[in-house]
């Protein structure tokens, strides 16, 4: 079953070796990301609580302005939680993470009027933190590759943490020019901030004990993290 989730790579995408120093820098960056998200969750939550108080004092129907602020704060909270998972520090063998917690937060962030998000294997066993981080980052990478609109599917193995597959389909779904170098672990040219997920992905895959494969076809891209 696990092998069925992994697409046959279109080319020989060998996983680049990640050096110890590189791994240390990724870990440090993850700690910084986790700290930023942790420190911002509190203020955003306080804003949400303030909105609740405003709604209670007004009574009756909620004003449109209050509703808009509520929606924004709820999305900001969900985004901070999923960014903390995707960019924060995580180690294999740590406390397990329920799949529904990760996929629910991804759904809050990814799904919109232009983008649909579906999950297969959501009811399987919990994921270790490294696999949860990898799944979240793969979905965020799929959103980067999708472009303006389309659909993203996350497929999790029903039996184990790996493999993980993400497929993005849409009229503009494609790999940017330097994506293959980044996904191979090469950083000759640093990515733009909107593409940083792609450069981080092979390092997170290595930390989760996975090999990264990818395919690109007309209006469809696939990322797969397979057991090493």
């Amino acid at each position: 079953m696990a092998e069925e989730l992994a697409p046959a790579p279109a080319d020989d995408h060998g996983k680049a070796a990640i050096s110890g120093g590189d791994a240390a820098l990724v870990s440090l960056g993850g700690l910084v990301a986790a700290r930023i998200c942790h420190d911002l969750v509190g203020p955003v939550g306080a804003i949400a609580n303030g909105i609740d108080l405003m709604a209670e004092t007004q009574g009756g129907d909620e004003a449109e302005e209050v509703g808009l602020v509520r929606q924004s704060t709820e999305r900001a909270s969900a985004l901070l939680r999923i960014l903390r998972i995707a960019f924060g520090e995580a180690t294999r063998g740590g406390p397990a993470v329920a799949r529904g917690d990760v996929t629910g937060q991804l759904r809050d962030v990814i799904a919109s009027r232009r983008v649909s998000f579906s999950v297969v294997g959501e009811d399987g066993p919990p994921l270790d933190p490294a696999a949860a981080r990898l799944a979240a980052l793969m979905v965020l990478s799929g959103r980067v590759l999708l472009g303006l609109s389309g659909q993203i599917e996350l497929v999790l193995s029903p039996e184990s943490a790996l493999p993980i597959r993400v497929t993005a389909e849409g009229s503009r779904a494609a790999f940017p020019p330097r994506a293959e170098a980044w996904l191979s672990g090469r950083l000759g040219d640093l990515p733009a901030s909107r593409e940083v997920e792609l450069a981080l992905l092979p390092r997170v895959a290595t930390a989760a004990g996975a090999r990264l494969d990818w395919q690109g076809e007309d209006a469809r891209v696939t990322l797969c993290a397979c057991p090493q």
Side-chain angles (χ1 to χ4, degrees):
M1 178 65 181
E3 289 77 6
E4 296 176 0
L5 300 184
D11 301 298
D12 185 13
H13 298 145
K15 175 175 65 71
I18 307 300
S19 69
D22 197 6
L25 286 175
V26 171
S27 296
L28 182 60
L31 292 172
V32 172
R35 174 61 184 269
I36 292 172
C37 292
H38 177 272
D39 288 353
L40 287 178
V41 163
V44 172
I47 295 172
N49 291 335
I51 294 300
D52 289 337
L53 290 175
M54 290 174 59
E56 290 178 5
T57 56
Q58 287 178 351
D61 295 335
E62 184 174 272
E64 182 178 357
E65 296 84 354
V66 174
L68 290 174
V69 176
R70 182 192 298 279
Q71 292 175 13
S72 296
T73 54
E74 288 175 350
R75 189 179 187 283
S77 294
L79 184 58
L80 286 171
R81 289 193 297 271
I82 203 62
L83 289 178
R84 187 177 184 184
I85 293 175
F87 291 101
E89 174 64 356
T91 56
R92 298 169 67 186
V97 181
R99 296 184 183 208
D101 290 346
V102 178
T103 57
Q105 292 171 25
L106 282 168
R107 192 172 285 110
D108 290 341
V109 170
I110 298 297
S112 66
R113 289 181 298 175
R114 293 185 172 184
V115 179
S116 64
F117 177 63
S118 60
V119 182
V120 177
E122 192 169 15
D123 298 327
L127 302 171
D128 69 68
R133 181 189 186 193
L134 177 58
L137 190 61
M138 287 177 68
V139 172
L140 294 179
S141 296
R143 182 65 185 91
V144 170
L145 298 171
L146 181 63
L148 291 177
S149 62
Q151 56 188 29
I152 296 176
E153 180 186 57
L154 167 64
V155 181
L156 300 169
S157 169
E159 304 149 353
S160 58
L162 297 173
I164 301 168
R165 188 182 71 208
V166 169
T167 302
E169 293 187 72
S171 60
R172 298 190 181 183
F175 290 105
R178 294 171 293 173
E180 185 168 351
W182 298 330
L183 292 172
S184 298
R186 302 191 299 272
L187 287 178
D189 294 317
L190 291 177
S193 59
R194 65 181 180 276
E195 299 167 330
V196 69
E197 291 92 336
L198 303 177
L200 184 59
L201 190 54
R203 291 152 177 80
V204 172
T206 297
R211 181 190 78 251
L212 189 65
D213 292 322
W214 60 93
Q215 287 183 3
E217 302 172 343
D218 289 342
R220 177 188 175 100
V221 296
T222 301
L223 300 169
C224 187
C226 309
Q228 290 181 359

